[in-house]
Amino acid sequence: MGYVNSNEFAANTFDAIVIGSGISGGWAAKELCGKGLKTLVLERGRDVVHLKDYPTATKTPWDFPHRGQIPLSVKQQNPIVERCYAFSEASEHFFVKDKEHPYVQDKPFDWIRGYQVGGKSLLWARQTQRWSKFDFEGPARDGFAVDWPIRYDDLAPWYAYVEQFAGISGNHDGLETLPDGDFLPPWEMNVVEKEIQQRIMANYKDRNVIIGRCAHLTQPKAIHLQQGRGQCQARSLCERGCPFGGYFSSNSSTLPWAAKTGNLTLRPDAVVHSIIYDEKKQKAVGVKVIDALTNKAIEYFAKIIFVNAAALNSNLILLNSTSNRFPNGLGNDNGLLGKYIAFQNYRGSITAGKDGHMDSYYYGRRPTTVMMPNFRNVHKQETDFLRGYMVFYTANRPGWGHFTNGDPIGANYKDTMSEAGPWDVYMMMQGETIPKESNFVQLSNDHKDKWGIPQLRISVDYDDNDERSLKDFLVQGAEMLDKAGCKNIVTNDSKQAPGLDIHEVGGVRMGHDAKTSLLNKWNQLHNCPNVFVTDGACMTSTGTQNPSLTFMALTARAANYAADALKRGEL
C-alpha cells in the first residue's frame, strides 16, 4: 500500500466501497447505505442523472439527423458495438465505442459495454425470471462445473425482496420450472399469440407458454411512487433512458434511494486499477483508481469491498489485483480466476407467417414477449446435449406505411400503405451454455489501455453441446409453429459470436470448496473474505433464464450479510 497522508486517508476512507454502478452495484449501494454504512460507489464512466441526462428520451424520429439510424461511417468505426440491437442514433451515447476500451480477441467475442453511472441498467432488455430448483441443482446432477453452494430456497426470499422494490410484472403461472414471484399485473398477449399458445400447449403437455415477466411498472405501488417512478407508457424507447421511471434502472431506483440515506458518495470517472491487499492485516484495505480525465492515481479505503463491475471487468480487476500473497490475482490460489466463463446461446431464430385475424390489432409497444420455460432435460437427461433453452416468440403486423403488398406504384400501393399487413411470427432461443475451463479471460502481456491497465484477453467459444442444443431448438421450434398453424416457416442460425447475448457470466464462481471455486455461499472470496463479488462473475452456471434478477437477489443477500458481519466485528 502506498503512502497516503493522514488528511487524505481520512477523506478517502469509507465503511464500504462498491465497484460499479450497474444493476448489481446499485443494489449493493442501496443495501449497504440502508444498513448505515458510509459507502463509496466507484464508476469508471461519466455521471448520468435520472431525467437530467437522457438527451434523446422525448425526441421524435425527425429530430435526429439520420432518423435514428447509425451512419455508415460510425458503423465502420464500430464493427463490434454496432451489432447490438439497442445501438442506434438515439442511444449510442450510452455505449462504449470500439476504440474507447480495446480488448484482445483470442477468439471472436462481441463485448458490449455501457460505461456511465447506471451502466447497462439503462440499456438492458428488462426481462426478469427467477431460477428454479432445477437450475441450482443442475451442475451437481449433470456433472459439470461445480455444485452451487446455495439452492433455490436460499434465494427465494431475496427474489421476493428485489421484485417488490424493482417492480416486476408477470402472471402467476404455477410452474415448477419457473417459480412465481411478487408481481405487478401482467402484460397481455395479442390474439395470434394466444392462438399459438393454445395450440402448442394442446400438442405438448410439457411445454408451458406464458406472458413474459419484465421490470416494468404496469401498476405502480407505493414503494415505486416513493422512488419517484411512474407507470410504463409502452413507448419501447427504453434504451434512451425512461423519463417516467417506468422500467427499473440504477439511475431511477436504487442509487437515488441510497443517496436519500445520506450515506452515499458517488465517484464517476474512476477507473478501478486494482484492489489493495494489506499483507500484515491479511485482508483487502482499499481500491486503487485512475482518474479517467486526469490519469491521476487515487487510493480509497474501506472495511468491505463489493466488486460489481460486470462479469468480465470484475475478472479483469481481480486478475490485476496482485500482491506478494496473491501473485496471480486476488484470492486466486487455485488458478481458476478468469476460467469457466459461460454465456447464453442466442444463435437460433425462426420466422413464419400466420393467416387470419385480419380484423385484429394491438395497442402500444409491449415491453415483453411471450415465453416458454425450458422443457429439455428438466427432470433427467433426455437428449444428446446437456441442459436446455428458453423459447420466446411474438406475433405482429407490419405497421401502416411498411406493407405495400409488392406493388411499387399506383392506387393499390396507396391503399395498402394505409393498412396493416398480415401477421408475422418471430421465435428465438436463449440457450444455456456449459462453463468449461477452456473458456477463459486473462490479462494481456503486450497491450495496455489508455489508463495503463492491461487489456483483457478473451478466449470464449461455442462447443458441440451448443451446436446440438441449437439444432434441437430449430427442429422443435419449427415443429411447434407448424402445429400452431403457421406457414412459410424459415429457420436461421445467426452464427453470431459469443458476447452479443450480453449475458456473459463466470470466472469468479461460487462453490463449497476453495480448491475448486473462488467464492463461498455468501459471495465472499474464500481467501479474502472482506471482498464480495455479486455480479455475473460470481455465477457457477448460467441457466436458461435472463440473469439480471438473480444478480439483484444475490447482491441484496450478500450485502445484508456483509453489513451484519461487519457490525459483529467479523470482517
Side-chain angles (χ1 to χ4, degrees):
M1 186 174 71
Y3 171 77
V4 180
N5 67 53
S6 58
N7 290 334
E8 184 179 353
F9 181 83
N12 289 3
T13 299
F14 301 83
D15 296 318
I17 294 175
V18 177
I19 301 171
S21 64
I23 279 179
S24 63
W27 268 100
K30 172 190 173 296
E31 298 304 308
L32 295 171
C33 288
K35 284 282 191 173
L37 303 186
K38 297 295 183 181
T39 302
L40 171 67
V41 173
L42 298 170
E43 168 55 53
R44 66 179 297 148
R46 63 189 176 88
D47 196 9
V48 170
V49 178
H50 180 53
L51 301 179
K52 173 177 171 289
D53 294 320
Y54 304 154
T56 64
T58 58
K59 285 189 174 182
T60 52
W62 48 88
D63 291 323
F64 296 96
H66 306 96
R67 301 300 186 264
Q69 299 298 308
I70 293 292
L72 179 60
S73 61
V74 177
K75 290 184 177 182
Q76 291 172 336
Q77 294 166 10
N78 298 279
I80 296 171
V81 71
E82 75 92 11
R83 297 185 189 115
C84 179
Y85 72 96
F87 184 71
S88 72
E89 191 175 27
S91 63
E92 61 175 318
H93 50 286
F94 288 145
F95 285 89
V96 174
K97 308 304 187 298
D98 289 7
K99 293 182 180 180
E100 291 175 349
H101 188 199
Y103 59 100
V104 180
Q105 299 181 61
D106 288 349
K107 297 177 181 178
F109 189 93
D110 294 335
W111 191 10
I112 308 301
R113 294 155 290 172
Y115 293 165
Q116 61 265 325
V117 169
K120 294 195 295 292
S121 77
L122 289 170
L123 299 165
W124 67 309
R126 307 163 309 282
Q127 304 309 295
T128 45
Q129 310 102 26
R130 293 187 181 197
W131 278 30
S132 74
K133 66 179 183 179
F134 304 108
D135 300 294
F136 289 101
E137 295 167 1
R141 188 195 76 177
D142 295 338
F144 68 91
V146 295
D147 185 22
W148 275 88
I150 61 173
R151 289 292 187 263
Y152 174 75
D153 287 345
D154 296 306
L155 208 56
W158 294 101
Y159 275 136
Y161 180 76
V162 299
E163 285 164 346
Q164 291 162 9
F165 190 83
I168 308 298
S169 69
N171 190 52
H172 290 88
D173 300 293
L175 304 179
E176 193 176 26
T177 51
L178 201 71
D180 291 332
D182 195 306
F183 294 146
L184 303 175
W187 297 86
E188 187 176 357
M189 299 183 201
N190 63 45
V191 63
V192 170
E193 292 166 344
K194 288 178 181 178
E195 181 181 327
I196 294 172
Q197 174 198 39
Q198 292 161 2
R199 292 201 184 188
I200 290 177
M201 292 178 68
N203 280 279
Y204 304 90
K205 300 306 179 186
D206 63 340
R207 306 186 189 186
N208 299 286
V209 180
I210 64 176
I211 189 63
R213 301 167 180 178
C214 60
H216 284 256
L217 301 181
T218 51
Q219 191 177 96
K221 293 186 176 180
I223 188 62
H224 308 121
L225 299 176
Q226 290 168 24
Q227 296 171 43
R229 299 168 60 197
Q231 183 172 341
C232 173
Q233 301 297 300
R235 305 188 314 150
S236 192
L237 303 177
C238 310
E239 64 271 11
R240 302 183 185 187
C242 181
F244 304 94
Y247 74 84
F248 171 84
S249 70
S250 296
N251 308 66
S252 67
S253 182
T254 47
L255 289 177
W257 198 266
K260 286 198 299 184
T261 67
N263 293 324
L264 175 68
T265 299
L266 179 62
R267 173 67 160 86
D269 299 310
V271 180
V272 172
H273 175 279
S274 56
I275 295 170
I276 304 164
Y277 184 80
D278 190 301
E279 308 280 349
K280 293 181 179 179
K281 294 181 178 179
Q282 296 184 4
K283 63 192 300 185
V285 294
V287 176
K288 179 180 177 180
V289 163
I290 308 298
D291 187 291
L293 304 179
T294 67
N295 276 7
K296 177 184 177 182
I298 308 169
E299 293 181 348
Y300 296 98
F301 306 95
K303 299 169 185 174
I304 55 175
I305 298 166
F306 270 68
V307 184
N308 300 92
L312 298 192
N313 268 326
S314 289
N315 276 273
L316 190 161
I317 290 166
L318 292 170
L319 286 165
N320 201 45
S321 300
T322 57
S323 60
N324 291 330
R325 170 65 183 86
F326 295 112
N328 299 313
L330 186 64
N332 191 26
D333 286 351
N334 56 25
L336 296 179
L337 181 61
K339 297 180 179 179
Y340 295 95
I341 300 294
F343 53 99
Q344 289 187 320
N345 185 352
Y346 271 68
R347 280 169 49 186
S349 64
I350 306 173
T351 58
K354 188 77 170 68
D355 289 335
H357 300 290
M358 294 301 287
D359 58 346
S360 298
Y361 202 68
Y362 42 86
Y363 177 77
R365 299 184 181 97
R366 188 186 63 204
T368 191
T369 181
V370 183
M371 66 183 189
M372 181 190 305
N374 177 43
F375 56 89
R376 285 308 205 199
N377 306 316
V378 175
H379 298 280
K380 61 181 180 179
Q381 184 62 36
E382 300 167 318
T383 68
D384 65 349
F385 58 91
L386 288 172
R387 311 306 292 159
Y389 48 82
M390 286 191 76
V391 174
F392 300 88
Y393 73 81
T394 55
N396 65 82
R397 300 180 67 180
W400 293 268
H402 295 279
F403 174 65
T404 63
N405 206 28
D407 294 303
I409 197 169
N412 194 41
Y413 173 81
K414 177 182 177 182
D415 290 340
T416 55
M417 279 283 284
S418 64
E419 298 178 359
W423 288 91
D424 292 329
V425 179
Y426 176 80
M427 179 179 278
M428 60 172 281
M429 72 179 294
Q430 183 171 279
E432 180 170 359
T433 66
I434 306 303
K436 50 188 181 292
E437 192 170 6
S438 58
N439 277 346
F440 63 88
V441 296
Q442 61 187 22
L443 300 183
S444 171
N445 294 323
D446 306 313
H447 302 281
K448 293 187 176 181
D449 62 26
K450 60 184 177 182
W451 302 283
I453 300 170
Q455 291 183 20
L456 197 65
R457 288 181 55 193
I458 303 176
S459 183
V460 174
D461 203 356
Y462 299 98
D463 63 12
D464 289 341
N465 196 75
D466 303 321
E467 299 293 341
R468 290 192 290 269
S469 175
L470 166 64
K471 181 179 178 181
D472 189 77
F473 162 74
L474 294 176
V475 170
Q476 294 299 316
E479 180 183 283
M480 287 188 286
L481 290 177
D482 179 64
K483 289 181 182 297
C486 296
K487 63 177 186 178
N488 302 326
I489 299 169
V490 178
T491 62
N492 178 61
D493 174 5
S494 69
K495 300 187 183 298
Q496 66 190 51
L500 198 57
D501 52 284
I502 326 180
H503 288 176
E504 61 271 12
V505 300
V508 198
R509 68 184 182 187
M510 299 172 70
H512 297 283
D513 190 344
K515 294 180 181 178
T516 58
S517 61
L518 279 299
L519 305 171
N520 68 12
K521 66 179 181 179
W522 298 109
N523 295 80
Q524 297 168 281
L525 282 173
H526 287 300
N527 298 313
C528 189
N530 69 325
V531 174
F532 295 75
V533 182
T534 65
D535 61 11
C538 79
M539 301 291 278
T540 303
S541 60
T542 185
T544 62
Q545 296 88 327
N546 296 68
S548 299
L549 187 71
T550 299
F551 300 166
M552 295 188 230
L554 285 170
T555 301
R557 177 177 180 267
N560 279 270
Y561 172 83
D564 291 342
L566 185 62
K567 291 176 182 178
R568 293 192 301 265
E570 297 174 5
L571 295 175

